[in-house]
Amino acid sequence: MLSKKAKQILKQFQCDYNRELEERFAQTFSEEEQLRLFFINENAAYTDGRNIIVDPAVNGLFADRAALRQTEVFLDWPCEAVSGNPWRALRMVTRAQTIHECLHILYTDFPSPAGADPRCDTRNKTKAMAMIDNIIEDAYIEAVGCSVYDNLELFLQFARISSLFVSAPSEGTVRQVFGSMSESSDEPWDEAEATELAAQIGKIRLLEAYLNHMIDLLLYPMVETPEPEPALASYVEQTVPFFFAGSAAAAPADRHRYAQQIFDRILPLIPDDREELGDAFLERKLGGTHTHQSVGQSIGSQARRGRAQVVNVRLFADLDGKPRDPDRFPNQLAAVLDDFDEEKEMVLALINDEGSSTIVDASQCGATPIHNKIKIHVHRPKINLNLRRAYQNMYQRFRININSYNTRFRQLLQAAVPQRDTRYLFGEGISSRKLGDVRKRYWYRHRPGVDLPDLAVLLLIDGSGSMSWENRSRKAMESALILHEVLRKQGMEHAIVEHRANFEDPEMEVNILVDFHPRKN
């Protein structure tokens, strides 16, 4: 169970700002502009090729200091690099999951080919094939992350090792997964049925043991794997070469062909369809098995073909399966943690911002005698992150207009401005930065040019009751958004202020929506 403090940290972390931060990273990495990312608390992470689901609190790892400390020791990270900072741990867990699922989007076929495989003529056969594909695909995309990308191995290693040390993993038991097969029924069973049921439960146990053994061999080569039990020895011996060859095959179709060969050899271990085969026992070591389901999981999801990519190394082993020492990333780790700390400050500043209100006398603003008795109530409203999605939806509606106005606006504002040319032998003045030029080209000249003038824009919006007529306030909101985006793209200082007057008293309300020097976010 998470402590009260841990729950509070998790609640702060799972704000929409952080979710969108991770979503933008995923969109950039996967090269999918329309990809969506969601936070859940279901101890799983997966993708269907269109959406990514991640769980920052998976297994409570971010609050498990012992597991995080053991992970740091194994990876030779500085003490308490993440174990002493739950926010960093949340960010590491989340980013590692996002990277893993993005690699699937880039290199894995969706939906799983198990659904269309003629061998899979029963539910349990389909599920068993998907499990084999799951193991091979996870090993392959981690190999791609190490072979192709320079800065992903750090996160992939953290995810894989921390799953070994977590104290409270979401590991399904045989009873949880296959309980319905072993629970007694109200209907009487004859001896033959009871014998058949026992045989099916025996297959389930053996299949689970077999898959766990192959996961350890392929994904955890740094851990000493015990010998398989005698009943599985021949299956393991026959299929190990196909697992290793499949996890290094460049094309998704080739990897599935290796899975087919494995499937053919373990067919005697697959139970019939009296009860559906579960896969919860894989969750602890694989994180999320939903990625490899044989059907799409979201409305409108479409089939995707993964890219082919040659790999030259695995996450913790070479291509032959020989373990290799984890690479050390002292410089990268320090930079990553600094970025995480900076993001934390921005997020907490947004979350904890309560706004502000001050009262200013009009006399302080140089008002004329007729106005200097007016009190100006200046408000900076509290930031409401829940409105971010509404803003983005509105932006998407007017994106074409914004792009059009952006070009026209620059042309309209262009004016004659002096521009400086340097590196002359004589001119109007000397540039001290060029005094070291051996050819004495340290003079500069001014010439007439055309560019954006140095100016600032203030948009004042009427906030009085009359703006409620004919949807005026909505139109003002849309106009302000368009102007804000255009000016922002031009790098031009601007402010957007809403004002309203009080008819009874000499007072005015001013809401500063965008200031001249706003925070970046």
Side-chain angles (χ1 to χ4, degrees), residues 34-304:
Q34 301 303 317
L35 182 141
R36 298 296 310 280
L37 182 142
F38 303 94
F39 287 164
I40 60 169
N41 292 313
E42 296 180 3
N43 275 326
Y46 53 90
T47 181
D48 61 359
R50 182 186 181 192
N51 304 301
I52 290 179
I53 307 298
V54 297
D55 182 1
V58 62
N59 297 323
L61 176 61
F62 79 97
D64 191 338
R65 293 195 64 176
L68 293 171
R69 183 67 195 114
Q70 289 175 301
T71 302
E72 291 168 344
V73 171
F74 186 94
L75 296 175
D76 197 24
W77 287 8
C79 180
E80 296 196 345
V82 292
S83 61
N85 190 319
W87 191 278
R88 287 180 176 178
L90 280 166
R91 181 61 76 191
M92 281 294 300
V93 170
T94 305
R95 183 56 53 86
Q97 292 177 358
T98 303
I99 289 171
H100 184 98
E101 302 309 328
C102 284
L103 287 170
H104 275 308
I105 290 175
L106 289 169
Y107 298 102
T108 299
D109 282 349
F110 291 91
S112 169
D117 196 309
R119 291 169 172 77
C120 304
D121 53 3
T122 69
R123 290 180 303 172
N124 282 345
K125 288 180 180 178
T126 302
K127 203 140 194 178
M129 178 72 84
M131 291 178 184
I132 298 169
D133 277 327
N134 191 340
I135 298 170
I136 290 176
E137 286 296 321
D138 275 13
Y140 172 77
I141 60 106
E142 289 182 349
V144 170
C146 300
S147 302
V148 179
Y149 301 91
D150 294 331
N151 55 353
L152 300 189
E153 193 167 358
L154 171 77
F155 297 95
L156 295 173
Q157 287 186 356
F158 172 82
R160 187 59 65 197
I161 297 303
S162 62
S163 67
L164 285 178
F165 294 125
V166 66
S167 300
S170 57
E171 181 182 19
T173 64
V174 176
R175 181 174 180 81
Q176 289 172 329
V177 180
F178 311 108
S180 56
M181 293 190 64
S182 58
E183 291 171 357
S184 61
S185 172
D186 294 335
E187 299 180 2
W189 288 68
D190 60 28
E191 185 175 351
E193 289 175 325
T195 301
E196 176 62 20
L197 177 62
Q200 294 303 314
I201 295 174
K203 284 186 176 182
I204 290 170
R205 188 191 64 79
L206 285 174
L207 182 58
E208 175 190 353
Y210 168 80
L211 292 171
N212 272 320
H213 184 82
M214 301 315 300
I215 290 172
D216 290 341
L217 280 178
L218 201 60
L219 301 180
Y220 297 92
M222 78 297 293
V223 178
E224 184 177 353
T225 305
E227 292 295 324
E229 54 186 283
L232 294 175
S234 62
Y235 296 107
V236 171
E237 183 180 359
Q238 294 178 61
T239 57
V240 162
F242 297 112
F243 269 107
F244 279 96
S247 62
D254 292 338
R255 296 195 293 275
H256 182 63
R257 278 192 281 272
Y258 282 109
Q260 290 174 322
Q261 296 183 65
I262 296 168
F263 177 90
D264 291 340
R265 285 161 175 77
I266 68 163
L267 192 57
L269 294 177
I270 302 175
D272 62 26
D273 274 354
R274 180 174 300 184
E275 295 291 342
E276 184 176 0
L277 179 65
D279 58 2
F281 62 89
L282 298 179
E283 290 290 339
R284 176 186 179 186
K285 294 179 179 177
L286 296 183
T289 57
H290 299 294
T291 295
H292 309 276
Q293 289 184 354
S294 57
V295 294
Q297 299 175 75
S298 64
I299 297 174
S301 59
Q302 299 177 348
R304 295 174 55 93

Side-chain angles (χ1 to χ4, degrees), residues 327-400:
D327 289 339
R328 311 305 181 189
F329 313 96
N331 297 330
Q332 183 192 349
L333 178 62
V336 166
L337 296 181
D338 286 344
D339 289 343
F340 289 168
D341 291 342
E342 184 178 343
E343 290 168 358
K344 175 185 176 181
E345 292 179 6
M346 290 191 298
V347 172
L348 292 182
L350 289 170
I351 294 174
N352 298 327
D353 185 281
E354 295 296 332
S356 64
S357 294
T358 56
I359 300 177
V360 180
D361 289 326
S363 58
Q364 298 176 252
C365 304
T368 60
I370 195 173
H371 292 140
N372 61 12
K373 300 297 183 182
I374 295 176
K375 299 289 186 182
I376 304 173
H377 297 259
V378 181
H379 306 293
R380 287 176 170 80
K382 178 181 179 181
I383 295 172
N384 187 348
L385 293 176
N386 295 326
L387 297 178
R388 181 182 290 267
R389 177 57 59 186
Y391 185 95
Q392 289 184 333
N393 290 339
M394 191 180 297
Y395 173 83
Q396 291 299 326
R397 284 178 53 204
F398 295 102
R399 183 169 57 176
I400 296 177

Side-chain angles (χ1 to χ4, degrees), residues 4-66:
K4 184 177 180 180
K5 182 179 180 181
K7 290 180 180 178
Q8 181 182 8
I9 294 173
L10 179 62
K11 182 178 179 181
Q12 291 178 331
F13 181 85
Q14 289 184 315
C15 65
D16 199 54
Y17 177 84
N18 263 344
R19 185 199 64 77
E20 290 186 356
L21 190 71
E22 205 65 24
E23 184 176 83
R24 289 195 295 272
F25 170 84
Q27 290 171 344
T28 302
F29 184 24
S30 66
E31 303 173 19
E32 289 291 337
E33 185 180 354
Q34 301 303 317
L35 182 141
R36 298 296 310 280
L37 182 142
F38 303 94
F39 287 164
I40 60 169
N41 292 313
E42 296 180 3
N43 275 326
Y46 53 90
T47 181
D48 61 359
R50 182 186 181 192
N51 304 301
I52 290 179
I53 307 298
V54 297
D55 182 1
V58 62
N59 297 323
L61 176 61
F62 79 97
D64 191 338
R65 293 195 64 176

